[in-house]
Amino acid sequence: MRTKRIAMTTSSFAVASLLLAGCSAGNTAASSGDLSKDIAAVTAEQLDGTTIQMSRMFGDCEETTAGVTDTSKATSECEAIQILTNKFNAENEFGITVERLGGSEWASYYDAFNASLAGGAPADIANLHAHALPDYAARNSVIPIDTDAMGIDLADASDAARGGVEWDGATYAVPFDLHAILAHVNVDLFTQAGLVNADGTPKLPTSAEEFLADAKIVKEKTGKFFISIAYANDPMGFRLFSMLVNQQGGELISDDGKTVNIDTPEAQNALEFINTLVDEGYADRTVDYAGSTAQFLAGDSAVLMNGTWAVNEYANTAPFTYQVADFPTLYEQPATWAASHTWVIPRQKSGDVVKYRAAEEFAKFLYNNTDTWAIATGHMSPRVSVLESDAYLNAVQRSNYVETAKNNAHLVPHIKNWQPAEDAILEQISSTWLNDKDIAAALTEAQARVEQALSK
């Protein structure tokens, strides 16, 4: 999944917060005053026949997946999540039924989810990106999850995945994947440029200087762009900027969200490098997401900067020798932009612990089946045991980016108001390659705007 910027309006959040702030943790049974304890105490008899609603991204494919429970048939995000839902409905021991409530169009997903919160009737289980979680947890819109009581083994989760579901000392979500930026490579162009190892595999650069030198070679020997990046109308440029800062040991915003570090030497280096790619003709500043992928698949660039979500598609459709790899480390330490899909339990006015428990059972099932999701989609399982399994490593291209999953994935800051901060950074840095704004001025203004955004 592409993970675009999240449309999350202040007004919709404010309304939702007012409606949910007064919701108690009551339930349809006697309450102990401890919501997690009450959820854990729900019996199989109480769960029998319970129907819950799910709000999710990933598109609409009910027609092609109706009645299908064989997870090996899944070939896309939509098919994988729908077949997993079918399988749970058919096989769970409690007789729980999960129905989908909207969410077929991911581009407008958060608008719809926020509207459901504001209307006081959200789904019983919902999809969130990890970087959106703090805003909802801080507003009491989702309930904490006692993963130990539910038998959800977060000890098996990678550090990045585990960190993405926590907020203020509690766990508010169950991880479903990590998705990150990779280098998608046209091996034929690398071969034509002489940038291959003895075994014929592409030889990727290991420093910023080597990256630019290789880009020059590709341009001179093939006449093609070295890399396609969605510079226009897309957050891909921000992702490249942030990971290059991270590779130098920098953090744009501190973990506590109180310190902004944008107007720095590390950011200057990153932005100068990005603009050099454009100025030297190694990348095309005019392409958006669709344009960058079309450019790469047409054989007009040697590398595409894109995510894990595209691996299966390109492996099946690229008209050239295709290979994916961890995005190159150009500075002192490995780091690549990453995000995570998670499952949360929205707080309900009714406080029905039976439905809360049913939702947690479904979340547990999904966590235990992240191998299916990862193999069908290209995303990385949040579970180390899956990443190290033969089934995962033998799946198409997966062994080529295990390091990204286990070590290199670098989630964006896990703070409130992250999205307005990212938007402010992107607006300023993109003006340097789209409108030739002075780099120093862009960083100074980005620093000021993010400080203002986080002060709200």
Side-chain angles (χ1 to χ4, degrees):
M1 170 185 178
R2 251 189 79 196
T3 318
K4 267 191 150 181
R5 287 177 289 175
I6 299 168
M8 194 181 302
T9 64
T10 303
S11 59
S12 63
F13 253 142
V15 174
S17 301
L18 287 171
L19 284 167
L20 290 168
C23 295
S24 70
N27 51 52
T28 56
S31 172
S32 69
D34 183 330
L35 180 57
S36 294
K37 182 177 179 181
D38 291 340
I39 292 171
V42 171
T43 66
E45 183 179 8
Q46 289 174 297
L47 284 171
D48 187 28
T50 299
T51 296
I52 59 173
Q53 293 183 319
M54 169 178 61
S55 179
R56 64 162 177 81
M57 311 166 197
F58 314 126
D60 188 354
C61 55
E62 275 85 348
E63 288 186 7
T64 60
T65 58
V68 180
T69 58
D70 181 355
T71 56
S72 68
K73 302 296 184 183
T75 61
S76 66
E77 288 178 319
C78 184
E79 289 182 355
I81 187 59
Q82 192 58 49
I83 292 173
L84 281 170
T85 304
N86 294 346
K87 184 177 177 66
F88 178 81
N89 286 343
E91 300 177 5
N92 79 86
E93 63 183 294
F94 305 108
I96 300 167
T97 299
V98 179
E99 298 177 344
R100 184 165 69 87
L101 176 65
S104 63
E105 296 297 329
W106 61 263
S108 59
Y109 175 77
Y110 281 92
D111 285 338
F113 181 59
N114 289 339
S116 73
L117 290 174
D124 299 293
I125 184 169
N127 228 181
L128 285 186
H129 290 98
H131 53 260
L133 179 63
D135 287 307
Y136 293 95
R139 290 169 170 81
N140 206 32
S141 298
V142 295
I143 67 169
I145 300 172
D146 188 339
T147 53
D148 289 337
M150 287 301 302
I152 298 172
D153 183 17
L154 287 188
D156 188 31
S158 65
D159 291 343
R162 191 164 52 249
V165 298
E166 298 171 348
W167 172 251
D168 198 24
T171 299
Y172 281 92
V174 175
F176 195 40
D177 67 27
L178 288 174
H179 44 283
I181 294 302
L182 301 171
H184 301 266
V185 180
N186 181 330
V187 181
D188 296 346
L189 286 180
F190 267 71
T191 301
Q192 187 178 340
L195 298 173
V196 291
N197 298 305
D199 62 357
T201 57
K203 185 178 181 181
L204 294 175
T206 59
S207 69
E209 294 76 16
E210 191 175 332
F211 194 104
L212 295 175
D214 288 354
K216 183 178 181 181
I217 291 171
V218 167
K219 182 181 178 181
E220 292 176 347
K221 292 192 174 183
T222 73
K224 308 294 186 179
F225 292 111
F226 183 63
I227 187 168
S228 291
I229 302 168
Y231 274 122
N233 303 313
D234 194 88
M236 200 64 74
F238 165 79
R239 294 168 186 172
L240 178 58
F241 172 71
S242 67
M243 57 203 249
L244 294 180
V245 170
N246 296 152
Q247 288 188 6
Q248 297 173 78
E251 293 289 348
L252 295 174
I253 300 173
S254 62
D255 289 343
D256 61 7
K258 296 180 179 178
T259 305
V260 180
N261 306 300
I262 298 172
D263 194 1
T264 64
E266 293 82 7
Q268 179 90 16
N269 290 338
L271 201 48
E272 287 177 353
F273 174 82
I274 293 171
N275 276 273
T276 297
L277 294 178
V278 170
D279 295 340
E280 296 297 329
Y282 303 147
D284 182 355
R285 79 178 77 197
T286 67
V287 292
D288 58 10
Y289 183 85
S292 67
T293 57
Q295 191 174 75
F296 175 68
L297 292 174
D300 291 329
S301 61
V303 180
L304 171 66
M305 178 183 166
N306 203 0
T308 51
W309 52 87
V311 172
N312 284 18
E313 176 189 350
Y314 299 161
N316 291 326
T317 64
F320 45 75
T321 306
Y322 166 77
Q323 183 170 317
V324 71
D326 300 309
F327 197 87
T329 299
L330 305 184
Y331 296 98
E332 292 80 15
Q333 61 191 47
T336 188
W337 176 94
S340 174
H341 292 121
T342 72
W343 297 101
V344 297
I345 315 298
R347 191 176 294 277
Q348 305 289 343
K349 284 184 175 181
S350 65
D352 187 340
V353 295
V354 175
K355 289 202 170 187
Y356 283 157
R357 174 63 181 273
E360 291 188 2
E361 290 290 345
F362 184 47
K364 176 182 177 180
F365 170 84
L366 293 173
Y367 180 71
N368 289 340
N369 285 274
T370 57
D371 53 344
T372 293
W373 176 251
I375 290 171
T377 63
H379 294 318
M380 303 171 293
S381 172
R383 304 185 64 179
V384 175
S385 62
V386 172
L387 297 174
E388 295 177 345
S389 69
D390 289 341
Y392 179 81
L393 293 174
N394 290 332
V396 60
Q397 301 273 345
R398 296 309 189 273
S399 61
N400 294 335
Y401 56 100
V402 171
E403 277 302 301
T404 294
K406 295 174 69 174
N407 299 310
N408 299 0
H410 193 98
L411 294 178
V412 300
H414 205 55
I415 58 173
K416 293 186 293 183
N417 296 321
W418 164 251
Q419 198 58 55
E422 179 184 314
D423 291 346
I425 297 170
L426 177 61
E427 180 182 359
Q428 291 304 309
I429 64 172
S430 64
S431 68
T432 66
W433 62 73
L434 294 176
N435 301 312
D436 297 319
K437 183 170 183 173
D438 178 71
I439 288 175
L443 293 175
T444 297
E445 188 163 349
Q447 174 86 19
R449 291 195 179 189
V450 171
E451 288 176 344
Q452 182 180 29
L454 294 181
S455 68
K456 295 180 179 178

